[in-house]
């Protein structure tokens, strides 16, 4: 591959610079830093346009939640480079998902202040190849950067059991929700897909060439078969089963 190009996306400049310096000590790694999701996305686009696409994105799991000044001290940087701040939101995971979609060859490593199996699963589902503690040593960080380029997945051993449990629970929940969707008639599934797509009764009626009254009847049948009491709950169940808004275009055809 030659030189490995890494982008560190973190809202706390001191931490980002410390991580960049730790990685830059490796003779075959070039590192840049971005302090926001917007800056990171712009850097990724510029690099791709210049023919120097970033290979690995290191992203703060909490990136963009609140300004760094409003954060409270927490973990230390790799190699003990000093205190770091964190926040409870997960904006970095959204950046990971968008970046993987926009740059399919990109590998993502998520750095987190605390082990959280549920968020780690979300990171993996977003396309991340690794979840690491913020205070991991430099040699571990560089080993993971090289590992994700070989399509390896890296998780802290202490987190593995919780992640497997979350994945099993998610799979079981999705299977049960799909079983419920299988009880719907083809027309009821079309109506549900319209609901997932955010269409009201009139718009769904126009898409499916039905009367609003007929759509209302189908909606009531859908709620009853799914065992929920609102359209919002039906949509949430459908999304958990894997039905996405993109599917609805075919439903109205």
């Amino acid at each position: 591959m030659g030189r490995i190009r890494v982008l560190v996306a973190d809202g706390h400049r001191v931490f980002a610079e410390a991580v960049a310096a730790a990685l830059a000590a490796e003779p075959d790694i070039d590192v840049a830093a971005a302090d926001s999701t917007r800056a990171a996305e712009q850097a990724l686009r510029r690099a791709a346009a210049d023919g120097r696409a970033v290979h690995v994105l290191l992203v703060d799991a909490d990136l963009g939640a609140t300004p760094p000044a409003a954060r409270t001290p927490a973990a230390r940087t790799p190699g003990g480079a000093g205190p770091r701040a964190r926040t409870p939101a997960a904006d970095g995971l959204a950046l990971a998902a968008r970046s993987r979609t926009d740059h399919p060859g990109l590998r993502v490593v998520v750095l987190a202040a605390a082990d959280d199996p549920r968020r780690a699963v979300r990171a993996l589902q977003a396309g991340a190849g690794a979840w690491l503690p913020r205070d991991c040593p430099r040699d571990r960080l560089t080993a993971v950067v090289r590992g994700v380029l070989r399509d390896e997945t890296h998780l802290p051993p202490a987190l593995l059991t919780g992640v497997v449990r979350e994945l099993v629970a998610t799979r079981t929940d999705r299977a049960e929700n799909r079983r419920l969707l299988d009880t719907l008639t083809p027309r009821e599934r079309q109506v549900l897909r319209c609901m997932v797509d955010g269409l009201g009764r009139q718009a769904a009626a126009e898409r499916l060439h039905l009367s609003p009254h007929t759509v209302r009847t189908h909606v009531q049948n859908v709620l009853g078969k799914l065992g929920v009491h609102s359209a919002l709950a039906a949509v949430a169940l459908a999304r958990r089963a894997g039905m996405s808004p993109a599917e609805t275009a075919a439903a109205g055809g």
Side-chain angles (χ1 to χ4, degrees):
M1 170 180 289
R3 301 192 66 79
I4 301 171
R5 291 184 287 276
V6 177
L7 177 66
V8 181
D10 191 282
H12 194 280
R13 179 182 294 180
V14 173
F15 179 80
E17 291 178 350
V19 174
L23 289 172
E26 298 294 316
D28 61 338
I29 296 181
D30 295 327
V31 192
D35 62 1
S36 68
T37 56
R38 177 179 296 180
E41 289 173 324
Q42 290 175 341
L44 291 171
R45 287 194 297 268
R46 284 197 302 269
D50 292 341
R52 294 174 53 82
V54 172
H55 299 120
V56 181
L57 171 67
L58 266 64
V59 59
D60 174 15
D62 301 321
L63 180 65
T66 58
R71 302 180 182 180
T72 55
R76 298 181 65 82
T77 60
R84 165 34 170 126
R86 70 178 181 89
T87 59
D91 298 54
L93 305 189
L95 172 63
R98 291 195 302 272
S99 299
R100 284 282 290 159
T101 298
D102 295 341
H103 309 277
L106 182 69
R107 300 296 183 265
V108 177
V109 175
V110 175
L111 299 175
D115 285 345
D116 184 333
R118 185 167 297 178
R119 293 184 70 196
V121 167
R122 288 182 57 197
L124 296 177
Q125 291 171 335
W131 174 282
L132 290 179
R134 303 193 64 84
D135 58 354
C136 68
R138 190 188 80 188
D139 58 351
R140 171 64 174 159
L141 183 61
T142 55
V144 169
V145 166
R146 301 181 194 280
V148 294
L149 288 172
R150 297 190 294 268
D151 290 326
E152 297 173 359
T153 300
H154 291 261
L155 293 168
L159 197 61
L160 188 58
T161 298
V163 166
V164 171
R165 186 180 296 117
E166 285 291 331
L167 288 171
V168 170
T170 299
R171 185 172 182 177
T172 301
D173 182 59
R174 174 165 289 196
E176 173 61 19
N177 291 335
R178 285 178 173 172
R179 185 192 67 77
L180 289 172
L181 293 192
D182 287 342
T183 67
L184 302 179
T185 66
R187 181 62 83 185
E188 288 166 351
R189 287 182 67 91
Q190 289 181 326
V191 170
L192 178 58
R193 284 175 171 172
C194 289
M195 295 162 63
V196 170
D197 205 30
L199 299 183
R201 189 186 309 168
Q202 183 63 43
E206 293 174 359
R207 170 180 284 184
L208 301 177
H209 308 292
L210 300 172
S211 72
H213 176 76
T214 300
V215 170
R216 180 176 181 275
T217 299
H218 284 310
V219 169
Q220 291 174 336
N221 291 339
V222 167
L223 299 186
K225 289 183 177 181
L226 298 185
V228 296
H229 301 288
S230 70
L232 183 61
V235 168
L237 186 151
R239 294 298 298 270
R240 290 196 301 270
M243 182 182 288
S244 67
E247 292 181 284
T248 61

